[in-house]
Amino acid sequence: MGGQAKGKKKNKPSKKNKHPSRDAGFVGLSPQDRVKLRMHETAKKKTAEKYTVQQLLEKTEESMDCFDFEMAGLFCQRALDVDPTNLQALDMLGHIYSELGDTEKAKGVFLRAVELSPDVGHTKYMYLGQIHTGLEAVEYYTRGVQVLLSALDKEAQTTQVQAGAAALPVEDPHLPTAKDVSVAYCSIAEIYLTDLCMEEGAADKCREFIERALQYHHDNPEALQLMASYLFSVDRNQEGKEYLLKSVGLWLPAQKQIAASSSTEEDVQNEVPPYEWRITTAKLLIESEEYEMAVDVLEGLLEEDDEVVQVWYLSGWVCYLQLEKAKEQQEREGRQVTEQEKEECNALKEAARSYLTNAKKLYSKLRCDDQPMLDHVEQLIGELGGEVEGEDGDPGLEEDYEPCSDDDEDDDDDAAMEH
């Protein structure tokens, strides 16, 4: 009997073998890493029980709207813990990493999205194009254009079917548009205008892609401005100036409206191009001697963000150029200067000194690294009679602030702590 009992016990599965894969992920880990991994798995489980993926993505979007990309990253990573193949979450996380300046992580996330869905969703290719340079960037943008055109074809077929069924087509703001295609072609054209400008046939390719961009959206300010830059680069300045003025005319009124009324209407804000792009516009306007329009653009930029050294510098530079132009005209005409003209010249001189003084102070305070710009600022200040003493217009280097409300503070802390 004893032998039989012993045999039965020997053949009975032990508890240890009941869940052979339970601790498989802990093999080779240190005790501290095991604790961390268990805590992470527990947090994932709690998150999945408490929040849906959609709720987490809504929280992600709210944080991104408030420019709190650190918090947005926590919410988005939680969504991916619950659903690792969620394409929307991958796109958002890649964007978050881009905003945080972590290019390698952003690249990894977008490549994962490409692996999961190579033929649907163009934004991942657009971001990969931004991250890369030269021909690699062109390849990603080109793939993105292919995905866009395929989506537009499907959308057109769906619209035809709906029209045939006497049903009104439903507008979806998330669907790609012809403007998206135009913007993508602009991205390719810009590479041939900059990174690949020395490649054989670069000028022809640049023009070809700009023309494609205008074909899909003839009033795209970016495409019009790129055509202006291209024409300037091949010494067709008058044509370039016409394209530039047409481009600026499409959005400058909206910028003025925002500045005059502190308008926050989304439609109006969407008409105005990105900040850095408008700095380039100001430079082109100065190059074209369209000083008054350049001043309008720069004033709008300062109203929006007065902590950008280059904008203060350009504002001073354009006032200096206006002053020099007025002096040249007076000398050319060989007549006596009126009191009003003297006052206008003095006003331009003081404005230039003030802007350049602020540029120098801000340069030092922000510890910028652009020696040629600083040298030019100091040269201009010297020609104008020195810095403005006791300048009250010191750039607004305000303390950091939190633009988000505290309404959802408890919920945010909850999710962040779980991370």
Side-chain angles (χ1 to χ4, degrees):
M1 291 290 290
Q4 290 176 351
K6 189 174 181 182
K8 285 184 180 179
K9 186 174 182 181
K10 188 175 181 179
N11 294 329
K12 185 178 179 182
S14 66
K15 285 186 178 179
K16 189 173 182 180
N17 294 328
K18 238 178 183 178
H19 304 285
S21 62
R22 182 175 176 181
D23 289 333
F26 294 89
V27 175
L29 295 180
S30 67
Q32 293 89 340
D33 288 337
R34 290 185 185 187
V35 170
K36 287 181 182 178
L37 188 55
R38 283 199 180 96
M39 288 175 66
H40 184 68
E41 292 299 322
T42 302
K44 282 169 59 175
K45 186 178 178 182
K46 284 177 64 180
T47 301
E49 292 171 353
K50 190 170 182 181
Y51 302 99
T52 65
V53 169
Q54 190 55 42
Q55 286 172 329
L56 289 165
L57 293 181
E58 286 171 3
K59 287 288 185 185
T60 302
E61 196 165 356
E62 287 171 14
S63 296
M64 290 172 71
D65 288 343
C66 293
F67 304 101
D68 187 351
F69 294 103
E70 294 283 355
M71 182 64 75
L74 297 181
F75 285 127
C76 198
Q77 187 57 62
R78 274 287 163 261
L80 284 169
D81 285 342
V82 178
D83 183 2
T85 61
N86 188 293
L87 293 173
Q88 184 185 357
L90 285 168
D91 269 354
M92 293 173 84
L93 187 61
H95 175 63
I96 290 165
Y97 283 140
S98 295
E99 290 290 341
L100 291 172
D102 197 332
T103 304
E104 283 306 308
K105 282 188 178 180
K107 180 179 174 181
V109 171
F110 289 129
L111 288 175
R112 173 64 175 153
V114 168
E115 182 185 334
L116 289 169
S117 179
D119 299 321
V120 178
H122 69 283
T123 56
K124 53 182 174 284
Y125 292 108
M126 299 298 106
Y127 280 117
L128 285 166
Q130 290 172 23
I131 291 169
H132 292 80
T133 58
L135 290 173
E136 274 189 300
V138 169
E139 288 174 9
Y140 281 118
Y141 282 128
T142 301
R143 185 73 185 101
V145 169
Q146 292 169 350
V147 172
L148 269 169
L149 293 177
S150 175
L152 285 175
D153 285 343
K154 289 179 183 176
E155 189 181 339
Q157 292 171 12
T158 302
T159 302
Q160 286 179 352
V161 170
Q162 289 176 336
L168 291 173
V170 179
E171 291 189 7
D172 184 346
H174 299 293
L175 286 175
T177 65
K179 184 177 179 180
D180 293 324
V181 179
S182 178
V183 170
Y185 277 132
C186 283
S187 298
I188 300 174
E190 194 164 7
I191 293 171
Y192 282 107
L193 194 62
T194 53
D195 294 355
L196 299 178
C197 64
M198 302 305 292
E199 293 281 316
E200 185 177 352
D204 292 338
K205 287 181 179 178
C206 177
R207 174 153 195 146
E208 176 191 341
F209 286 114
I210 295 171
E211 287 174 345
R212 289 190 194 179
L214 289 170
Q215 176 187 341
Y216 278 91
H217 186 201
H218 68 278
D219 275 345
N220 180 354
E222 183 182 355
L224 292 167
Q225 181 165 304
L226 275 173
M227 182 62 87
S229 295
Y230 162 78
L231 292 167
F232 288 145
S233 72
V234 294
D235 295 324
R236 293 165 62 179
N237 295 341
Q238 187 53 44
E239 280 184 80
K241 190 172 180 178
E242 290 170 9
Y243 275 96
L244 178 62
L245 295 179
K246 184 177 179 182
S247 171
V248 178
L250 290 168
W251 58 263
L252 187 57
Q255 178 182 278
K256 289 181 176 180
Q257 181 183 339
I258 291 170
S261 62
S262 300
S263 174
T264 56
E265 292 180 19
E266 190 173 347
D267 290 343
V268 177
Q269 290 182 330
N270 287 340
E271 291 180 37
V272 181
Y275 196 95
E276 289 294 331
W277 191 85
R278 283 176 282 153
I279 292 178
T280 302
T281 304
K283 291 178 183 177
L284 290 172
L285 288 168
I286 292 171
E287 183 182 337
S288 306
E289 298 188 9
E290 290 291 336
Y291 300 139
E292 293 295 334
M293 192 173 282
V295 168
D296 287 340
V297 172
L298 290 165
E299 283 180 351
L301 290 169
L302 283 175
E303 184 74 25
E304 197 172 316
D305 184 353
D306 59 2
E307 295 185 6
V308 181
V309 178
Q310 194 175 30
V311 178
W312 287 100
Y313 157 64
L314 290 173
S315 297
W317 175 227
V318 74
C319 287
Y320 175 89
L321 291 173
Q322 286 177 300
L323 177 61
E324 291 299 300
K325 185 177 181 180
K327 288 179 180 177
E328 288 174 9
Q329 184 176 344
Q330 291 162 9
E331 289 175 8
R332 190 168 55 249
E333 293 176 356
R335 58 176 175 77
Q336 189 173 1
V337 179
T338 66
E339 286 299 318
Q340 182 179 349
E341 287 173 333
K342 285 181 182 177
E343 289 178 8
E344 289 173 354
C345 285
N346 284 333
L348 283 171
K349 180 180 178 180
E350 291 309 306
R353 288 178 66 209
S354 177
Y355 284 128
L356 293 167
T357 298
N358 282 338
K360 186 175 178 180
K361 288 182 179 180
L362 190 58
Y363 184 100
S364 175
K365 201 154 192 174
L366 297 181
R367 299 178 183 178
C368 294
D369 184 21
D370 188 343
Q371 192 61 42
M373 180 175 69
L374 180 61
D375 291 343
H376 195 210
V377 167
E378 291 179 335
Q379 176 195 331
L380 294 173
I381 288 175
E383 290 182 27
L384 293 165
E387 295 181 28
V388 176
E389 297 296 331
E391 178 61 49
D392 292 329
D394 192 24
L397 301 177
E398 297 144 25
E399 296 295 324
D400 290 340
Y401 67 97
E402 294 293 334
C404 300
S405 68
D406 296 329
D407 295 344
D408 298 322
E409 189 175 317
D410 294 338
D411 290 341
D412 292 353
D413 289 345
D414 230 347
M417 289 298 291
E418 285 173 6
H419 185 77

